[in-house]
């Protein structure tokens, strides 16, 4: 909640008991997707479609740039 302030509305717990519905307001799908990408491990965006598509684009871009194998240290040397 501290990350998004008054733009975040917390709804009810969903029937599965593991998730809570949230509503987050933003200026654009692009901006919102950029903010939510940091939470990809913990958040599933259900709608709008534009945000889901932008998250997919961000994910593909990150995979292209950072998806190369490492030397085992967890880091890839930049040349």
């Amino acid at each position: 909640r501290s990350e998004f302030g008054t733009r975040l509305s917390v709804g009810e717990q969903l029937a599965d008991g593991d998730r809570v519905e949230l509503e987050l307001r933003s200026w654009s799908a692009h901006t919102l997707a950029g903010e939510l990408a940091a939470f990809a491990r913990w958040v599933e965006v259900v709608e709008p479609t534009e945000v889901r598509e932008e998250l997919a684009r961000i994910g593909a871009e990150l995979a292209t740039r950072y998806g190369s194998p490492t030397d085992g240290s967890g880091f890839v040397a930049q040349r």
Side-chain angles (χ1 to χ4, degrees), residues 1 4 7-12 14 19-25 36 42-44 47:
R1 189 178 275 279
F4 302 108
R7 296 184 303 135
L8 177 68
S9 298
V10 179
E12 299 295 319
L14 300 179
R19 299 179 299 157
V20 174
E21 188 173 272
L22 304 173
E23 180 180 311
L24 183 59
R25 292 172 298 286
L36 291 175
W42 304 283
V43 172
E44 177 187 0
E47 58 181 328

Side-chain angles (χ1 to χ4, degrees), residues 32-75:
L32 184 55
E35 291 178 298
L36 291 175
F39 299 94
R41 182 178 295 181
W42 304 283
V43 172
E44 177 187 0
V45 174
V46 178
E47 58 181 328
T49 302
E50 295 85 356
V51 174
R52 292 176 57 90
E53 289 170 350
E54 184 64 14
L55 283 167
R57 187 198 62 75
I58 291 168
E61 190 174 296
L62 289 169
T64 296
R65 180 170 298 251
Y66 299 108
S68 59
T70 68
D71 63 4
S73 68
F75 298 98

